[in-house]
Amino acid sequence: MILHAIGLMSGTSLDGLDICYATFEKRKTWSFQIIQAETIPYPKNWEDKLRNSIHLSAEELLELHSEYGFYLGKLTQDFIQKFELKNIDMIASHGHTVFHQPQKKFTLQIGDGRAIKIQTGLPVVYDFRTQDVLMGGNGAPLVPIGDELLFSQYNACLNLGGFSNISLRINNKRIAFDIAPVNIVLNKLVQEFNKSFDENGDLAKTGNIDEELLQQLNSLDFYKQSHPKSLGIEWCNKNIFPLFENIETLNVLATFTEHVAQQISHVINEHQLKNILFTGGGTFNTYLIEKIREKTTAEIIVPEKEIIDYKEALIFAFMGVLKLKNEINVLSSATGSSHDHSSGIIA
């Protein structure tokens, strides 16, 4: 039986909403096909609303939760009409993360799935992270279920987004963890040059590496912790950005890019990985990819643009399909929760 699903993903880098319409079929193993996908950039007012959501009062945040849900519903409806999509079994929405503090047993992704359902008239699965956090997990990363069932031909899958994370098999278990911040830091730094991202890493390439800063970054406690572990913007605000004071931005860019490359290659080498699928917006940062390649003998596979851009949205669509079938869609070996489970709320 072929299932048709739409996945919605809004990442921490706020470059827009990824929408992916795909089919999934299970014979002996699962297979997928991306039929249509696009990124809808956020207009300035929505980018500002989402960026500032962390500072809102409870009342304002609840209002935004509903408003953003209807906005997601409208964007999805427009996407369906634009591509004249007929067969749709369900929509899966990640929402936009405002708070993520699993150690305190909470995480919040806004964009009420019920509003999306009201707007589109289709079943919606949303709020994939909360249940895992309540079960003692990190609520992240969730994508490993897709890596396990849709991309098992690779030793590991590595995503370069707001944060870099990896999933791989060890002792017949799929483990996953965040490695380091990437675009959440780099994109903020290049705003000084009126850019939203450092294309190809061209700006970082012109800076000089500050050895003292590099040492401070590499000695942060997070890198000594064992998995499962995950990062959030709060951690960057506390541990990363204060280190940059009084250092020229170009040099910070160069140093931070080197730091990310060192942390990623360390993980690749430590686990003796042979081939790794790289996806996420940071994969287009050719300077960063070159730096990682210099530091490891593993084969780094950069797939077609469609997979780079939409793998996360694709996997959230897949997680929604698994939830509707009441099958496991979160791996405790990746998140650290008490056991594997089927997560998400169905509207």
Side-chain angles (χ1 to χ4, degrees), residues 88-274:
I88 306 165
D89 294 303
M90 48 83 56
I91 296 166
S93 176
H94 171 268
H96 183 78
T97 301
V98 180
F99 299 112
H100 183 67
Q101 296 185 34
Q103 68 283 3
K104 295 182 183 173
K105 291 278 193 286
F106 72 85
T107 182
L108 177 68
Q109 287 71 43
I110 58 168
D112 198 321
R114 293 164 295 192
I116 302 173
K117 181 184 186 294
I118 289 164
Q119 192 86 29
T120 61
L122 292 162
V124 176
V125 184
Y126 68 107
D127 192 9
F128 287 96
R129 296 191 190 271
T130 301
Q131 179 172 294
D132 190 74
V133 166
L134 293 172
M135 290 167 62
N138 275 287
L142 299 185
V143 165
I145 188 70
D147 296 342
E148 181 75 8
L149 299 178
L150 302 178
F151 294 97
S152 60
Q153 66 269 43
Y154 304 103
N155 273 175
C157 294
L158 193 143
N159 177 60
L160 288 175
F163 300 92
S164 58
N165 47 60
I166 191 167
S167 89
L168 60 146
R169 284 186 76 82
I170 293 182
N171 303 328
N172 291 323
K173 273 191 171 173
R174 172 71 57 171
I175 67 148
F177 52 93
D178 283 352
I179 299 176
V182 186
N183 294 336
I184 194 117
V185 173
L186 297 176
N187 292 358
K188 184 167 177 157
L189 290 168
V190 299
Q191 284 173 11
E192 198 176 300
F193 304 96
N194 294 322
K195 292 182 185 293
S196 53
F197 64 97
D198 185 7
E199 193 167 353
N200 302 322
D202 289 343
L203 284 169
K205 215 182 283 189
T206 63
N208 297 313
I209 290 169
D210 183 310
E211 293 298 339
E212 189 183 339
L213 173 60
L214 183 61
Q215 192 187 341
Q216 287 177 313
L217 288 165
N218 283 333
S219 59
L220 287 167
D221 276 348
F222 178 82
Y223 302 120
K224 300 183 190 81
Q225 291 169 21
S226 57
H227 60 79
K229 55 182 182 174
S230 66
L231 290 162
I233 181 65
E234 300 98 321
W235 184 86
C236 295
N237 289 339
K238 184 181 171 187
N239 295 284
I240 298 276
F241 294 115
L243 299 176
F244 299 160
E245 281 171 26
N246 307 319
I247 304 174
E248 194 187 326
T249 305
L250 282 176
N251 295 343
V252 175
L253 273 170
T255 308
F256 196 78
T257 302
E258 174 65 22
H259 163 67
V260 171
Q262 286 187 10
Q263 291 300 329
I264 288 172
S265 57
H266 171 72
V267 168
I268 291 170
N269 296 336
E270 183 185 17
H271 294 287
Q272 300 176 342
L273 300 173
K274 301 281 187 289

Side-chain angles (χ1 to χ4, degrees), residues 10-28:
S10 174
T12 41
S13 49
L14 282 173
D15 43 8
L17 178 72
D18 291 341
I19 306 188
C20 176
Y21 173 64
T23 60
F24 301 93
E25 185 177 14
K26 188 176 186 181
R27 291 194 174 159
K28 276 184 182 167

